[in-house]
Amino acid sequence: MKRSLFLSLLGLPLWLAAGLAMALAIGQPIDFESEAQKRQYDTLVRELRCTVCQSETIHESNAELAADMRRRVYEMTLAGHDGDAIVDFMVQRYGDYVRYRPPLQANTALLWASPFLLLLVGGIAWWRMIVGRKRMAQRPEFTEQERATLQRMRSGE
């Protein structure tokens, strides 16, 4: 019993060291100088997209590039750069795609307008369908001549 307790206590620092090493390996910072820096870092890593994973933020991604990006955000935050300067740096290095919320520019206008365009197209299609149904319901009955022609066609004459 004593031996297993001793081995467990001996293994605890090893597990803690391994956890710390993993945190450092993926670029998670350990300390900040202020709470404002921690908030800025947390905000930025959740707003920047991993260019390798493409659908994950750099906070969520385990890719090596995301770890480098997190590390760079951490270093720039500790150096006193504001959030806009860090985002500008990342955009210059990786392009507008690195932002989860791209700005409204000429090259992103279709991206911003597409939900409204789809809604408009859907509304027009719905309106045309309703108007078409009303027209079919208001169609007049066959005349006697049309009924006679239809009857001849059915009988094969």
Side-chain angles (χ1 to χ4, degrees), residues 109-124:
L110 183 61
L111 176 68
W112 282 96
S114 61
F116 304 109
L117 292 174
L118 287 173
L119 186 61
L120 179 66
V121 168
I124 291 171

Side-chain angles (χ1 to χ4, degrees), residues 31-32 45 67 73 75 84 86 91-92 102 112 124 143 148 155:
D31 282 326
F32 289 96
V45 297
V73 169
E75 291 168 357
D84 292 336
I86 296 171
V91 167
Q92 286 177 354
W112 282 96
I124 291 171
T143 63
S155 63

